[in-house]
Amino acid sequence: MQLGTRWAAGGEPPASVPRALVPAIREAEAQVDEAAHWTLTWLEGRPIAELDAGWEVTLDADGEPVVEPFDLED
């Protein structure tokens, strides 16, 4: 079992955040003008970092990072 974590946007991601996600996390943070926090969770062994300002960073099947906005109204 892997536990998730939370941290402030713009801060240093915790060691549990896969290094492959960090450039994509910085990319998403550049889109946000407000204070926000990340939440790292794991689904079926894959990391999912969600920025509470409306961005999600995951790894695709090839291990490449994917940055996507999500609808906060859902």
Side-chain angles (χ1 to χ4, degrees):
M1 181 166 113
Q2 290 180 291
L3 298 177
T5 190
R6 254 178 93 69
W7 74 98
E12 184 63 29
S16 59
V17 175
R19 295 293 107 193
L21 290 183
V22 174
I25 285 170
R26 298 296 181 222
E27 179 183 333
E29 288 174 343
Q31 307 298 319
V32 177
D33 292 332
E34 60 199 63
H37 286 83
W38 287 99
T39 302
L40 175 69
T41 57
W42 298 84
L43 179 62
E44 297 180 1
R46 287 189 157 168
I48 302 169
E50 290 184 347
L51 185 60
D52 57 16
W55 290 88
E56 182 177 86
V57 176
T58 59
L59 294 177
D60 67 14
D62 295 323
E64 295 297 318
V66 176
V67 181
E68 296 179 314
F70 63 88
D71 187 2
L72 294 173
E73 299 299 317
D74 288 341

